[in-house]
Amino acid sequence: MFVFLNNQLIEAEKATLHISDLAIQRGYGIFDFFRVREDVLLYVEDHLDRFIQSAQFMHLSCPYSKDQLHSILQELQKKNNLPNSSMRMILTGGYSPDAYQPVAPNLIIMQNPLAFQDNHVPKSLSIITREYVRDIPEAKTINYTMGIWLQPKLAEQKADDVLYHINGTVSEFPRCNFFIVTKDNVIMTPEKNVLKGVTRKKVLACASSYYKVVEGPVTITDILNAKEAFLTSSTKRIQAITKINGQAIGHGEPGSVTTELLKSLVMLEQSFVKQK
Ligand SMILES: Cc1ncc(COP(=O)(O)O)c(C=O)c1O
């Protein structure tokens, strides 16, 4: 397996960073993550735009343009020959002499095999809530401290994931975006304190052909009054949320709107791959 590290494609075992990197010293850096399907880099333009935006937001100067990054990704894809896989691009704070000021970042791109099926039946999840907002939520940073720290709590409560909120207004999951379907078939998703997921964007586009779509505040009370709820991400696509803090949402099973949107999302992905 090859990885891209700074200016070269090298074997993964030989790819190392110095311990002075700000990612190690302070957990400072950004990344993006997306799937490769049948040799096609899925929604790569969106992911590269977000990667560059995250870098700018975090005052990290990415050493490559969007086109250069795209070429590097294609080169790595060719070298590893993994038709169905994931790509993780990480930009770190660099080898900081005072372990505080970001300097020239290190760029790592890793690819791993990732098999994926076109499942049309959404998984059903039980979630809990937690008062928290990520640091600098607009950026896809490498800081997942709260989500990881809450893992034992999730196991103890037999919950699949945790939804962050502030004063009852919800935002996002550690790694996914959140949606509800109201009783009058309005699709709502939080807009503040969230990372704008690429899957979120695709789902909003699919949904707006059939439903009224609103990006704005969603409260825990709204969720309890909703017909359906679901989460989105590149690896989870759409999964239904049927229980929150022990209470059923809607009928307590994946609903028809969630199922339809999952189908639309899979079809969108298939047509994106066909066009390439
Ligand atoms: C905080 C956060 N929100 C949402 C998402 C989902 O984004 P995407 O749909 O681009 O995978 C992620 C992905 O890791 C994330 O880290």
Side-chain angles (χ1 to χ4, degrees):
M1 196 84 70
F2 282 80
V3 301
F4 182 86
L5 177 60
N6 291 328
N7 226 350
Q8 49 180 343
L9 285 182
I10 55 171
E11 284 166 49
E13 302 74 50
K14 294 185 182 149
T16 56
L17 286 185
H18 192 266
I19 51 172
S20 65
D21 197 291
L22 219 47
I24 296 167
Q25 296 290 336
R26 308 276 181 188
Y28 199 87
I30 61 111
F31 80 110
D32 219 290
F33 179 92
F34 59 90
R35 288 171 45 219
V36 178
R37 174 175 175 152
E38 296 162 56
D39 284 310
V40 174
L41 309 175
L42 278 179
Y43 311 133
V44 64
E45 294 273 329
D46 295 290
H47 287 281
L48 286 173
D49 284 341
R50 186 173 63 187
F51 184 75
I52 289 164
Q53 273 167 23
S54 293
Q56 282 168 352
F57 231 97
M58 299 300 286
H59 319 299
L60 295 176
S61 60
C62 182
Y64 298 100
S65 69
K66 184 177 167 185
D67 285 349
Q68 286 170 325
L69 288 170
H70 198 171
S71 303
I72 294 166
L73 288 166
Q74 282 169 328
E75 215 183 312
L76 184 62
Q77 167 62 10
K78 226 173 169 185
K79 186 94 178 163
N80 281 331
N81 190 23
L82 292 171
N84 296 297
S85 51
S86 67
M87 288 279 194
R88 183 180 293 268
M89 322 169 57
I90 307 167
L91 196 65
T92 71
Y95 300 146
S96 179
D98 66 356
Y100 208 64
Q101 294 296 324
V103 289
N106 286 303
L107 172 65
I108 309 157
I109 309 179
M110 301 159 69
Q111 188 174 21
N112 284 299
L114 181 67
F116 227 79
Q117 276 173 8
D118 285 343
N119 195 349
H120 287 178
V121 182
K123 255 181 96 171
S124 175
L125 309 180
S126 166
I127 64 163
I128 56 172
T129 54
R130 165 91 189 190
E131 186 129 16
Y132 180 67
V133 63
R134 283 190 308 117
D135 287 344
I136 317 174
E138 301 84 353
K140 193 165 166 70
T141 71
I142 57 170
N143 178 359
Y144 283 75
T145 303
M146 178 56 82
I148 294 170
W149 184 74
L150 284 170
Q151 288 300 297
K153 180 97 182 157
L154 289 183
E156 185 193 303
Q157 309 242 329
K158 295 189 173 54
D160 298 295
D161 214 336
V162 53
L163 179 60
Y164 297 145
H165 73 96
I166 289 292
N167 262 333
T169 300
V170 302
S171 53
E172 60 183 0
F173 292 92
R175 295 175 295 169
C176 305
N177 289 114
F178 177 69
F179 287 75
I180 58 168
V181 184
T182 66
K183 291 207 171 95
D184 42 3
N185 276 338
V186 178
I187 314 279
M188 296 186 70
T189 189
E191 195 185 24
K192 272 199 180 156
N193 295 330
V194 300
L195 180 81
K196 300 277 166 70
V198 173
T199 321
R200 176 186 185 275
K201 179 177 165 183
K202 303 298 169 195
V203 167
L204 285 171
C206 289
S208 62
S209 308
Y210 306 100
Y211 302 99
K212 187 178 171 201
V213 163
V214 177
E215 290 180 72
V218 178
T219 65
I220 295 175
T221 311
D222 292 333
I223 301 170
L224 291 170
N225 290 327
K227 194 167 89 163
E228 300 176 30
F230 60 90
L231 58 71
T232 65
S233 82
S234 299
T235 44
K236 298 197 160 86
R237 283 194 184 132
I238 290 180
Q239 296 186 348
I241 298 157
T242 50
K243 216 187 224 187
I244 180 166
N245 297 330
Q247 282 185 268
I249 300 172
H251 297 298
E253 54 191 47
S256 57
V257 178
T258 305
T259 307
E260 281 306 314
L261 286 173
L262 175 58
K263 255 188 222 163
S264 304
L265 192 67
V266 171
M267 278 164 60
L268 185 73
E269 191 179 304
Q270 288 166 339
S271 66
F272 184 89
V273 170
K274 247 192 211 147
Q275 277 166 22
K276 295 286 158 178

